[in-house]
Amino acid sequence: ISSSLPVVPRALVPVEGPGGAVCTPLLRQEEQADVLESLDFVLTNISELRREVEELRNSLQCLAAEIVGEVRAHLEETQKVPRRRRFPFPRERSDSTGSSSIYFTASSGAANTDDGESEGGYSTANAESDYDRESERESEEGEDEVSCETVRSARRDSLDLVNEDDTHLVSDSSLEEGLGQLLQQADRLHSGDEQERREGFQLLLNNKLAYTEQKEFLWRLARAHSDMCDMTEDADEKRSYASDGKEELEIALQKWDQSAECHQWYAVLCGQLAEHESIQKRIQTGYVFKKHIDKAIELKPEDPKAYYLLGRWCYQVSHLGWLEKKTASALFEAPPTATVQDALQSFLQVEELSPGFSKAGRVYIAKCYRDLGNKAAALLWMNLAAELPANTKEVPASVHKLGAEQRLNGY
């Protein structure tokens, strides 16, 4: 250690010797090295504390902005309710009273620049005769009845495709056969490159109306949303894909709570949605993630993907920073707990169920052994990971990119 430390002047003290007073160092070189190492440790922790305080400050600002946004949205939604009840469906109108923007402009006292009329012009425009008002009311009621009938017909068409006798639809058996072929194609595209995964996402979207009541279809559609979230670089698009996929599975889990795949991909999408959230939401999502992964393992204990995800959760929890631990303790009665040994057991279970299932899984096994002080085993598993191709079966693909530089430190 001392060879890598900078040379520093040593304090000297006078000592009586044969030739008179001579100077000797106050601290030995080994002691100086210990002092410098302690100072470096203190400076490192101060820097980390400063970074975590800044992150907490940003999180609090985001939380305040989110609360304000939710309150504003609620107020706007409350104000829109009466108008939506009166006009449930948009209609094309040719007269001056058909535009709601005129009403809002007039009520706010602003001039309508389109036709040069002021608020007085608005009052004139609405000074209709009794005959006009009655005609308008009858017209609106007729339009509402037509619109409602159209919606009911469309709903019957979408929900009762198989039961319509006067249509040229395929039979139940043909639908099941078509669904099987569709799912096989979706699985094949999911295992391909980015372009194929995009094609798979579009394929499932195009068939959503026909198979929206099929469990096997819905969790694959959610998986496709996860693929799109993983591939896009735009933060808003990532959030949108993850949110849409999560909503699909929230509906599915109400009907199929015993589906391991629904629980598994719900956990994945929750994790993806929380990537850009505050510390509080990430910690809260961690509890949801763990709950659904545990359920997926209970329902399908032979699935290596679920153990891989559990290992990732355990490893991240075992490496929580000081600020995250304090935040979890403040917000929850029982903060999440897991050790590196827990993570190692999950990753080894993946290898037991499916050897070579995940390149990243083997890298994490190496990291666990390194953290536990077993460098020989860590080096062995890094070599085993190097034997696997880059595209293995871990989910999502961003697992590969997460902390790639850190994974190779020390090897």
Side-chain angles (χ1 to χ4, degrees):
I1 298 175
S2 61
S3 62
S4 62
L5 296 172
V7 178
V8 297
R10 292 179 290 177
L12 302 178
V13 295
V15 177
E16 194 70 28
V22 296
C23 293
T24 61
L26 183 62
L27 296 174
R28 295 192 303 275
Q29 187 172 6
E30 295 79 9
E31 295 174 333
Q32 293 181 38
D34 292 339
V35 170
L36 287 174
E37 185 176 357
S38 299
L39 288 174
D40 182 68
F41 177 79
V42 171
L43 291 174
T44 301
N45 280 272
I46 290 176
S47 176
E48 182 179 355
L49 179 61
R50 182 182 302 168
R51 178 182 60 80
E52 293 179 337
V53 169
E54 183 65 23
E55 185 178 356
L56 178 59
R57 181 184 303 165
N58 294 335
S59 299
L60 292 176
Q61 291 175 351
C62 293
L63 181 60
E66 183 178 348
I67 293 174
V68 172
E70 290 178 354
V71 172
R72 183 180 293 116
H74 177 70
L75 292 175
E76 293 176 353
E77 188 72 15
T78 303
Q79 293 173 356
K80 292 178 181 178
V81 166
R83 184 165 299 277
R84 281 206 307 269
R85 287 175 179 172
R86 181 172 177 80
F87 303 109
F89 307 104
R91 297 190 296 272
E92 292 293 332
R93 302 287 299 276
S94 59
D95 59 296
S96 60
T97 61
S99 173
S100 61
S101 62
I102 297 177
Y103 293 88
F104 288 115
T105 302
S107 63
S108 63
N112 189 334
T113 56
D114 290 340
D115 53 13
E117 292 182 357
S118 63
E119 185 173 354
Y122 161 76
S123 301
T124 303
N126 285 274
E128 302 173 0
S129 64
D130 293 340
Y131 174 80
D132 292 334
R133 283 195 294 269
E134 289 296 327
S135 300
E136 178 67 16
R137 187 178 298 111
E138 291 174 2
S139 175
E140 288 179 359
E141 290 174 356
E143 288 175 4
D144 288 343
E145 290 175 1
V146 172
S147 299
C148 291
E149 183 59 29
T150 302
V151 171
R152 284 194 292 267
S153 299
R155 187 173 298 168
R156 285 197 301 268
D157 291 342
S158 62
L159 296 180
D160 302 323
L161 289 174
V162 180
N163 297 327
E164 290 292 334
D165 298 331
D166 56 346
T167 58
H168 302 285
L169 300 177
V170 293
S171 63
D172 289 344
S173 59
S174 298
L175 279 174
E176 292 178 1
E177 181 180 353
L179 176 62
Q181 295 175 353
L182 175 66
L183 298 182
Q184 290 180 3
Q185 187 176 3
D187 290 341
R188 179 181 60 80
L189 293 172
H190 168 70
S191 301
D193 56 23
E194 285 195 5
Q195 181 60 34
E196 289 176 314
R197 279 181 283 167
R198 294 182 190 277
E199 292 176 4
F201 174 71
Q202 192 60 49
L203 173 69
L204 292 170
L205 276 186
N206 293 342
N207 289 273
K208 181 179 177 181
L209 183 62
Y211 299 109
T212 189
E213 296 297 324
Q214 301 295 326
K215 173 187 65 176
E216 297 296 323
F217 176 87
L218 279 180
W219 72 255
R220 284 174 171 84
L221 179 60
R223 181 183 66 182
H225 278 88
S226 175
D227 288 342
M228 296 299 294
C229 173
D230 189 56
M231 291 185 292
T232 185
E233 298 295 334
D234 184 78
D236 290 336
E237 290 184 7
K238 282 181 175 290
R239 190 177 295 106
S240 177
Y241 282 125
S243 178
D244 291 346
K246 180 171 172 283
E247 289 177 3
E248 296 285 356
L249 285 179
E250 284 174 349
I251 297 174
L253 285 172
Q254 293 177 2
K255 300 179 181 179
W256 303 293
D257 184 57
Q258 299 303 305
S259 169
E261 289 80 8
C262 287
H263 284 285
Q264 183 182 113
W265 286 102
Y266 185 81
V268 171
L269 286 159
C270 285
Q272 289 178 313
L273 191 59
E275 284 182 2
H276 305 286
E277 300 289 354
S278 62
I279 293 179
Q280 298 96 309
K281 284 198 172 182
R282 291 202 303 269
I283 293 175
Q284 186 176 10
T285 301
Y287 288 95
V288 178
F289 184 97
K290 178 66 161 49
K291 171 186 173 182
H292 286 276
I293 287 301
D294 286 346
K295 185 66 174 180
I297 292 176
E298 176 188 339
L299 295 170
K300 196 174 181 180
E302 72 280 5
D303 187 358
K305 283 196 293 290
Y307 289 98
Y308 171 81
L309 291 169
L310 178 61
R312 286 292 312 276
W313 184 88
C314 291
Y315 191 84
Q316 290 180 1
V317 169
S318 69
H319 286 75
L320 284 178
W322 175 86
L323 179 60
E324 292 169 319
K325 291 179 180 178
K326 290 296 183 182
T327 304
S329 300
L331 295 177
F332 304 98
E333 294 183 0
T337 56
T339 65
V340 175
Q341 188 65 41
D342 295 332
L344 178 60
Q345 292 303 316
S346 295
F347 291 126
L348 290 176
Q349 183 69 23
V350 174
E351 284 293 318
E352 181 178 341
L353 292 171
S354 179
F357 173 83
S358 167
K359 183 183 184 75
R362 288 185 172 181
V363 172
Y364 270 99
I365 292 176
K367 288 168 67 69
C368 289
Y369 276 123
R370 183 192 63 183
D371 294 344
L372 294 171
N374 192 339
K375 293 185 177 180
L379 184 59
L380 170 64
W381 281 99
M382 282 300 295
N383 292 332
L384 291 174
E387 297 175 357
L388 295 178
N391 295 326
T392 47
K393 301 175 184 177
E394 63 271 358
V395 289
S398 59
V399 167
H400 242 357
K401 299 180 286 187
L402 182 61
E405 299 82 7
Q406 298 177 354
R407 286 201 293 263
L408 298 178
N409 287 342
Y411 297 102

